[in-house]
Amino acid sequence: MNQDLESIQADRPKIITTEIDAISYYRKMDTKATVTEMIAGKYILVEEFYSNGLEVLNELKRELLLKHTDKNFQGQRDYRSAFREASHRLLLKVKDNKLVVKKSPDIGWLELLYTDVSEFYVSFPDVQGMNSSWQWYLNGIEIKTLNLRLHPFYSTYFPTRFDHLKLFDKYLKRYEGSKDNAIEIGVGSGILSFQLIQNGFNNIYASDTNKNAILGVSKELKRLDYQDKITLNHADLFEGCNLKANLIVFNPPWLLAKHTLEEGIDKAMYYEKDLFPRFFEQAQKHLTPDGKIVLIFSNLAEVVDKESSHPIIEELQKNNRFRKELHLKRDVRASSRRTKRRDSRENEKVELWVLSPKEKK
Ligand SMILES: C[S@@+](CC[C@H](N)C(=O)[O-])C[C@H]1O[C@@H](n2cnc3c(N)ncnc32)[C@H](O)[C@@H]1O
């Protein structure tokens, strides 16, 4: 049985529904003076054309770069945060769930995410984010390994590289265990669960802490006619799950957070220190005696910082709960010879770990 998905409110950009005190910006106005007002704290409302907003943002970038000349890490961070703060004061008006200015993109999210309101102001950068997400959603992403297109919901993690899917496919093709039940933690846009289904698992429990991931996958289940195969839950790890599974799958965030995590997509990239200990402790209780945990991971943290620890190796070394059954690795983008990487991520590898519970003595 699915959780009552109707009661889940999607995460969406903040909007202003009251009248605002803003400076109207038209073509040929003094952009520099407008930007000065914006930096000082005034709202600017883009009038006429969508492209007028782009002009203001370009000028804002120019102005702030003149002030933030420090090229070091902190300097760049300060620049980005100043840009973020000021640029969100550049607003667009929405009426009947559409942008009012001319030559603006058609963005379905303005309707789908705002069913309760049709007229409001929204910041230009948020509109840009929704626009790019809408293109991904409309066009979809071709997943060759599965022979399907994925349509990722707004503010949901989706893969742009597919090496880990190939590793998982390889594992599923040689998997000989029982296929009664599987659990996927962190379902994202659904891809690993769809791989499970295509490989014969028909009873999957999937959770995610990101509401939009759950809403998005529920739409995908209808589209792909997989509704009776997956139970979705907006939850932390195994919360509310009563199943014991033959396979527990988790493609977790790969980087230890050095900042306080926000709800939503932030948790797709970064994890808090206790995530893995909590996962392993709960996973042990949700495995059948011959069950397996499959974790997708990467050496990205190590590539970025040599001193970083590896949470799966740490679990195997510290606790006597699981033994390593398999560890596959694959170069990221190894298949493309033409785009040989020369950046700091050149040595990046994706990993697939299979752990099984140690027998209790
Ligand atoms: C790297 S993404 C993987 C998404 C998808 N499974 C895939 O492979 O494309 C990690 C996902 O885990 C989710 N997540 C992070 N912490 C979680 C937690 N404590 N419980 C459930 N899901 C979590 C994130 O919201 C995100 O959707």
Side-chain angles (χ1 to χ4, degrees):
M1 248 274 291
N2 268 357
Q3 190 187 27
D4 179 14
L5 300 178
E6 301 292 311
S7 65
I8 301 180
Q9 258 284 340
D11 275 331
R12 61 191 194 181
K14 284 206 176 73
I15 53 170
I16 301 175
T17 51
T18 52
E19 268 318 302
I20 45 156
D21 179 18
I23 300 172
S24 288
Y25 177 79
Y26 294 87
R27 257 178 317 165
K28 297 189 184 137
M29 264 174 68
D30 184 342
T31 320
K32 201 169 155 48
T34 308
V35 161
T36 306
E37 296 276 12
M38 201 160 110
I39 294 174
K42 274 266 176 206
Y43 281 123
I44 310 295
L45 180 63
V46 180
E47 307 275 1
E48 283 188 298
F49 289 98
Y50 184 78
S51 57
N52 299 151
L54 296 171
E55 283 158 26
V56 177
L57 285 188
N58 281 339
E59 180 60 26
L60 175 67
K61 201 177 276 176
R62 216 181 59 81
E63 278 294 312
L64 290 177
L65 281 174
L66 289 176
K67 284 192 197 132
H68 295 83
T69 48
D70 246 348
K71 289 275 171 278
N72 62 20
F73 182 73
Q74 191 55 41
Q76 288 306 296
R77 213 174 148 150
D78 291 346
Y79 159 72
R80 282 198 302 272
S81 114
F83 183 79
R84 196 185 145 70
E85 203 206 313
S87 63
H88 275 77
R89 286 194 282 271
L90 183 64
L91 302 179
L92 283 161
K93 184 166 173 117
V94 172
K95 205 172 171 213
D96 297 327
N97 296 96
K98 292 199 175 349
L99 293 169
V100 170
V101 285
K102 291 188 205 107
K103 301 220 168 148
S104 54
D106 249 332
I107 306 173
W109 294 133
L110 290 171
E111 200 166 336
L112 288 180
L113 298 177
Y114 300 92
T115 47
D116 52 332
V117 54
S118 60
E119 203 168 320
F120 51 89
Y121 299 98
V122 58
S123 85
F124 201 94
D126 282 339
V127 168
Q128 288 177 305
M130 282 194 270
N131 185 30
S132 118
S133 155
W134 185 247
Q135 298 310 315
W136 284 109
Y137 182 72
L138 270 192
N139 301 327
I141 300 155
E142 188 186 6
I143 311 285
K144 289 210 176 101
T145 324
L146 274 90
N147 197 19
L148 60 73
R149 291 186 90 79
L150 203 64
H151 294 266
F153 198 78
Y154 176 73
S155 200
T156 299
Y157 175 90
F158 58 89
T160 48
R161 291 182 281 172
F162 307 107
D163 307 276
H164 63 294
L165 303 181
K166 289 181 189 142
L167 278 187
F168 190 41
D169 188 58
K170 189 169 163 182
Y171 174 71
L172 287 174
K173 293 275 166 343
R174 64 156 100 152
Y175 174 82
E176 286 177 344
S178 157
K179 295 183 175 178
D180 294 339
N181 296 310
I183 297 176
E184 185 186 2
I185 301 297
V187 67
S189 46
I191 185 74
L192 301 181
S193 280
F194 302 157
Q195 267 182 292
L196 285 168
I197 291 173
Q198 290 196 354
N199 284 279
F201 286 84
N202 287 315
N203 189 26
I204 301 167
Y205 169 94
S207 76
D208 206 297
T209 42
N210 181 353
K211 293 183 209 165
N212 292 22
I214 297 299
L215 290 171
V217 174
S218 82
K219 274 180 181 287
E220 288 286 77
L221 296 185
K222 278 187 204 136
R223 184 177 67 85
L224 298 165
D225 204 11
Y226 286 160
Q227 282 125 301
D228 57 346
K229 300 188 191 300
I230 304 189
T231 301
L232 290 171
N233 207 354
H234 171 233
D236 174 72
L237 298 175
F238 298 83
E239 194 188 328
C241 169
N242 302 318
L243 213 63
K244 279 201 191 260
N246 309 113
L247 221 54
I248 294 177
V249 181
F250 191 17
N251 174 12
W254 294 344
L255 298 171
L256 179 63
K258 298 198 168 109
H259 61 288
T260 313
L261 290 185
E262 285 172 23
E263 286 308 316
I265 199 167
D266 208 14
K267 290 188 178 170
M269 283 281 285
Y270 299 99
Y271 65 88
E272 278 152 359
K273 225 175 167 28
D274 67 346
L275 177 74
F276 285 90
R278 287 196 306 116
F279 168 78
F280 286 117
E281 194 201 330
Q282 296 179 28
Q284 193 180 26
K285 296 179 188 144
H286 286 89
L287 268 185
T288 57
D290 58 350
K292 319 236 175 284
I293 299 179
V294 180
L295 284 148
I296 313 271
F297 209 64
S298 138
N299 66 343
L300 178 61
E302 196 192 318
V303 171
V304 178
D305 169 12
K306 278 248 163 304
E307 302 300 305
S308 68
S309 61
H310 192 302
I312 303 171
I313 297 179
E314 214 162 67
E315 164 64 29
L316 289 169
Q317 285 172 348
K318 271 197 191 157
N319 299 311
N320 202 23
R321 292 188 275 220
F322 302 104
R323 63 181 179 82
K324 181 179 84 180
E325 199 163 285
L326 185 68
H327 180 203
L328 303 175
K329 284 189 203 174
R330 191 183 156 101
D331 285 344
V332 171
R333 284 203 185 151
S335 54
S336 168
R337 269 179 237 109
R338 268 177 299 162
T339 55
K340 211 159 187 292
R341 303 185 71 101
R342 282 278 164 258
D343 55 31
S344 64
R345 292 176 73 170
E346 191 176 12
N347 301 320
E348 195 182 331
K349 292 191 176 16
V350 282
E351 308 172 346
L352 179 135
W353 293 77
V354 181
L355 313 186
S356 49
K358 281 191 175 171
E359 273 172 44
K360 285 199 185 98
K361 295 202 174 110

